[in-house]
Amino acid sequence: MPEDAERAEDAEVAENAENAENAENAENAEGAFTEHRPLLFTIAYEMLGSAADAEDVLQESYLRWSAVDPAKIGHPRAYLVRVVTRQALNHLRAVRARREDYIGTWLPEPIRTAPEVSDDAVLAESVSVAMMLVLETLSPAERAVFLLHDVFGYTHGEIAASIGKTEITVRQIAHRARGHVHARRRRFEPDSAATREIVRRFLLSTSTGEVQALMDLLAPDVVQISDGGGKVSAARRPITGQGDVARFVLGVARTGITPTTRIEYATYNGMPAARCLTDGGLDWLLAFEIQEGRITALYVMRNPDKLHRAHTVRPLDRGAHPRGSL
């Protein structure tokens, strides 16, 4: 074989081998990312309170992940958690100013969850609307540290390495954030047969206009919060107290629920919920915070930007992990 032809053949063999290796690396990278996606989405969503923003963070993180050789990464999950945490922190700092200009009351984008989420009490509470609203009051660093330590179980040292701060600083942030959260957290019962029965009675009394039956289901200090985002009609300020909430709910039922409205029970953010659909489109989403047989909070989502992804059930995962893996 002529020397030039031999060199060309060797180059082709080398190129084919490199292409095969690159394809294998890409396949391994995609497989690892898919395996840990529920955990990564859960972290990003709890950091941001938005499924859309969480998906953006995961996309950005995947691009970074696909640019490295997985074979050189000792702990893929640890690496991915670090990347997602940093991307989520950057994203959170960028969206905070936008939320300050939000029209009306901001609520987290609801995510449809499997009923099994209630089996993990920590996970169910951490994704609840009430907890997400408390997390909104933390600084980005406080939110990241609180979630990574108290929800996902990482040590202060592991978190320090992940967010680029000293362990002493992380401990201080954790102490401050935990105190803030514990002072404001609301207790509630996750989705169950008992809470769904209360939701059923609520919807029945609302549809029939039975004021007393409705009042009996509401806690004295019940709060109703709506999010229309300035795009649809919704109360722009929280409504509190049995009487005011009952009147508001009955008024909405008279004007907002038609004979063609279909109501479905569902689980959102680990909480019992009701979906109001017209011609297959989701018009209203109501999530119920229930404690000791009474509705203590009613969260009403109407912002269409936050509803068009609300049909998909989102797999969530706290990712039990060995220490030293972040």
Side-chain angles (χ1 to χ4, degrees), residues 1-16:
M1 177 182 295
E3 186 174 341
D4 289 345
E6 186 175 350
R7 282 200 297 268
E9 183 177 346
D10 290 344
E12 183 178 357
V13 170
E15 182 180 357
N16 290 339

Side-chain angles (χ1 to χ4, degrees), residues 52-113:
D53 290 342
E55 291 291 355
D56 288 343
V57 164
L58 260 60
Q59 179 63 27
E60 294 164 4
S61 299
Y62 179 74
L63 293 176
R64 284 165 170 74
W65 169 245
S66 61
V68 302
D69 182 357
K72 296 179 181 178
I73 305 298
H75 300 283
R77 181 174 65 181
Y79 182 90
L80 287 168
V81 168
R82 284 198 299 270
V83 172
V84 166
T85 298
R86 290 168 183 171
Q87 291 301 314
L89 272 170
N90 292 338
H91 210 91
L92 183 58
R93 294 184 181 109
V95 301
R96 280 174 73 88
R98 191 164 71 236
R99 288 180 186 172
E100 290 176 359
D101 297 327
Y102 196 79
I103 299 176
T105 303
W106 181 93
L107 288 175
E109 181 180 347
I111 55 170
R112 193 169 187 176
T113 51

Side-chain angles (χ1 to χ4, degrees), residues 145 156-157 159-161 163-173:
V145 170
H156 295 120
I159 298 168
I163 67 174
K165 295 184 181 293
T166 67
E167 184 173 347
I168 292 176
T169 299
V170 166
R171 287 183 180 277
Q172 293 171 340
I173 293 173

